[in-house]
Amino acid sequence: GAVVSQHPSWVICKSGTSVKIECRSLDFQATTMFWYRQFPKQSLMLMATSNEGSKATYEQGVEKDKFLINHASLTLSTLTVTSAHPEDSSFYICSATLAGGYNEQFFGPGTRLTVL
Amino acid sequence: GDSVTQMEGPVTLSEEAFLTINCTYTATGYPSLFWYVQYPGEGLQLLLKATKADDKGSNKGFEATYRKETTSFHLEKGSVQVSDSAVYFCALSLEGGYNKLIFGAGTRLAVHP
């Protein structure tokens, strides 16, 4: 099946710094990628939807200047958490799909972010 | 708002036991329903789905029936194996296909020999 990777798998950073998380589709071209956030013992919450070559669409309540998403190629999307604070500590998960939302989403294994 | 509620885990079973993981939903329209499974260190994988009332999704011995009258989509398996140990997520989509997935909190299943 289709494989999606994320890098890094975990990261610890100091408050005020920025962290970039990569999401790659390894064996297919992903026109659409999704970014989710998961708090302990809670649901995955959709943060934003990104289509290759265009600006991401953010869900209500998600700060676009805080969570910068770039989807510059058909195999790579990045999420940058800017000026991270302890409340940004969470599990970030991406998924990728072939063409819009009518095809199955393939998920990455997630990135654990801890902000000190 | 639209939401998915799953039974809290962990669920601990002996091998060959019967499994039920409850899932109920609240939705304003007619959602598609999904079960995803996440094995340790891996991404979520689609396990099964149902797109309309009374549909039954099935895969790898797991099955779930879309019950509109009870707004439920419970996951069942007749005989679990140690290899079924994972976290199971129930989800819905209101916009067709796999768009805008809304997930439950996940239920961890541990199967012992």
Side-chain angles (χ1 to χ4, degrees):
Chain A
V3 179
V4 175
S5 69
Q6 283 185 240
H7 178 80
S9 55
W10 59 269
V11 56
I12 302 173
C13 69
K14 292 182 178 179
S15 187
T17 61
S18 294
V19 174
K20 181 183 286 188
I21 301 169
E22 293 185 348
C23 176
R24 293 183 185 273
S25 56
L26 298 184
D27 52 2
F28 68 101
Q29 293 187 325
T31 55
T32 304
M33 289 185 170
F34 302 87
W35 285 96
Y36 297 84
R37 183 174 181 178
Q38 185 182 27
F39 292 104
K41 298 186 179 181
Q42 294 187 30
S43 308
L44 280 74
M45 300 296 294
L46 180 64
M47 298 175 66
T49 303
S50 73
N51 292 297
E52 186 264 338
S54 60
K55 289 185 178 180
T57 302
Y58 290 81
E59 295 300 301
Q60 192 171 12
V62 178
E63 301 174 59
K64 60 183 179 183
D65 294 330
K66 173 77 169 174
F67 299 100
L68 301 179
I69 292 172
N70 184 280
H71 190 169
S73 78
L74 287 171
T75 59
L76 173 65
S77 176
T78 59
L79 167 68
T80 301
V81 183
T82 62
S83 187
H85 291 284
E87 58 266 29
D88 298 324
S89 298
S90 190
F91 198 57
Y92 293 88
I93 299 170
C94 74
S95 71
T97 187
L98 279 167
Y102 289 90
N103 291 286
E104 182 176 346
Q105 292 185 35
F106 299 97
F107 287 80
T111 297
R112 170 79 58 196
L113 170 64
T114 302
V115 184
L116 302 177
Chain B
D2 306 313
S3 64
V4 175
T5 302
Q6 289 181 236
M7 61 188 291
E8 283 192 34
V11 174
T12 304
L13 295 173
S14 298
E15 205 164 25
E16 298 184 2
F18 185 86
L19 169 71
T20 300
I21 300 179
N22 289 339
C23 171
T24 57
Y25 67 89
T26 301
T28 51
Y30 300 95
S32 296
L33 301 173
F34 308 85
W35 276 101
Y36 283 83
V37 59
Q38 184 176 32
Y39 299 104
E42 299 183 17
L44 276 75
Q45 303 172 24
L46 178 65
L47 181 59
L48 53 84
K49 66 176 182 179
T51 57
K52 61 183 188 297
D54 300 325
D55 269 2
K56 177 185 284 188
S58 61
N59 186 24
K60 299 181 181 179
F62 291 89
E63 58 182 36
T65 301
Y66 189 141
R67 301 286 188 200
K68 185 181 175 191
E69 63 275 14
T70 55
T71 62
S72 65
F73 193 54
H74 304 321
L75 182 68
E76 297 181 336
K77 187 175 185 182
S79 176
V80 293
Q81 305 300 312
V82 172
S83 58
D84 294 326
S85 299
V87 181
Y88 292 82
F89 292 89
C90 186
L92 68 81
S93 171
L94 278 169
E95 298 193 5
Y98 298 83
N99 261 328
K100 301 273 189 170
L101 289 172
I102 296 171
F103 287 90
T107 301
R108 183 174 298 278
L109 170 65
V111 181
H112 299 290

